[in-house]
Amino acid sequence: GTPLYIGTMDEQNRRLDYGPSDFDARHKVSAYGTWVLPNHFSNSALRNTIGGWQLNGTLVLQSGRPFSVICTNILTCDYNGDGVGYDRPNTPAFGNTKSGLSRSDYMKGIFAVADFPNPNAPGTLGKNGNLGRNTFRGPGYADADASIFKTFTMPRETSLEFRAEAFNLFNRVNLYLPHANLSQAFFGQSNAAFTARNMQLALKFRF
């Protein structure tokens, strides 16, 4: 994915790096719920097997995080000639943002190296690109987790807790930010994703 932004485009003009923070998710919804099955059975066997199950769920919906198109190769794109990477090119013809993109678009590639003009005339250096910092947005993120717990009462003040947990319950593909370094292979593509569905079971004996 895109490397963390650890530099500045022009040390003589820090205002060129004004923009959204790397963790600026403009829209986010988080929800959590728990439901415990009532345990009003008079029969001890039913009370210990059917009653008292606890269902839990979490949901996170989040819009995409911002990222910058940069170049870290000072041999090919040190546009301002300061000997330091992380320069940004000029704004492409389609503008400094893209919207309405699907996961498929990100995987195929949302732009190409040729889209981003060099701010300098051929064979010259000294100009900063006019593309802003963190103007593009990556793919959104959605995750649902669920779990079910039950504690079984046992003799001599002991108990056994059962847990079943599922993370990324619907196995949604949550893509990483696309490669945004002009000197990288797969520039413009999101070719990695967060963890797929993961399920686990556990037993805990208390004594």
Side-chain angles (χ1 to χ4, degrees), residues 34-112:
T34 297
W35 181 65
V36 179
L37 185 67
N39 197 355
H40 303 311
F41 300 100
S42 58
N43 183 285
S44 61
L46 294 177
R47 188 167 59 248
N48 204 30
T49 56
I50 300 178
W53 286 92
Q54 178 179 319
L55 304 177
N56 309 288
T58 60
L59 176 68
V60 176
L61 303 174
Q62 178 178 298
S63 59
R65 294 187 295 113
F67 67 95
S68 300
V69 170
I70 61 171
C71 187
T72 58
N73 190 337
I74 62 174
L75 298 178
T76 59
C77 48
D78 180 18
Y79 303 128
N80 58 18
D82 63 358
V84 180
Y86 291 95
D87 288 8
R88 294 189 298 275
N90 271 353
T91 302
F94 56 76
N96 66 358
T97 188
K98 280 194 165 187
S99 60
L101 298 170
S102 66
R103 279 181 291 175
S104 178
D105 292 330
Y106 283 103
M107 289 187 286
K108 293 176 182 176
I110 60 174
F111 35 56

Side-chain angles (χ1 to χ4, degrees), residues 81-191:
D82 63 358
V84 180
Y86 291 95
D87 288 8
R88 294 189 298 275
N90 271 353
T91 302
F94 56 76
N96 66 358
T97 188
K98 280 194 165 187
S99 60
L101 298 170
S102 66
R103 279 181 291 175
S104 178
D105 292 330
Y106 283 103
M107 289 187 286
K108 293 176 182 176
I110 60 174
F111 35 56
V113 172
D115 294 333
F116 295 87
N118 187 325
N120 297 290
T124 65
L125 297 174
K127 289 185 178 180
N128 287 309
N130 59 20
L131 179 63
R133 175 177 173 270
N134 279 350
T135 62
F136 295 102
R137 292 274 167 175
Y141 179 89
D143 178 67
D145 301 334
S147 61
I148 181 169
F149 301 167
K150 167 67 176 175
T151 298
F152 298 91
T153 302
M154 300 181 70
R156 297 183 180 180
E157 299 183 352
T158 62
S159 63
L160 183 68
E161 182 185 70
F162 168 79
R163 289 172 173 250
E165 298 171 301
F167 305 95
N168 192 6
L169 178 64
F170 301 110
N171 204 29
R172 185 183 191 274
V173 177
N174 288 304
L175 296 171
Y176 284 177
L177 292 175
H179 293 276
N181 189 334
L182 290 162
S183 60
Q184 280 182 322
F186 307 110
F187 174 75
Q189 298 179 33
S190 293
N191 58 3

Side-chain angles (χ1 to χ4, degrees), residues 9-37:
M9 184 166 73
D10 187 343
E11 293 183 356
Q12 304 301 317
N13 191 352
R14 297 296 181 92
R15 287 179 295 180
L16 294 175
D17 292 311
Y18 179 83
S21 67
D22 292 344
F23 50 84
D24 175 43
R26 292 294 174 90
H27 307 98
K28 183 172 184 176
V29 175
S30 299
Y32 173 82
T34 297
W35 181 65
V36 179
L37 185 67

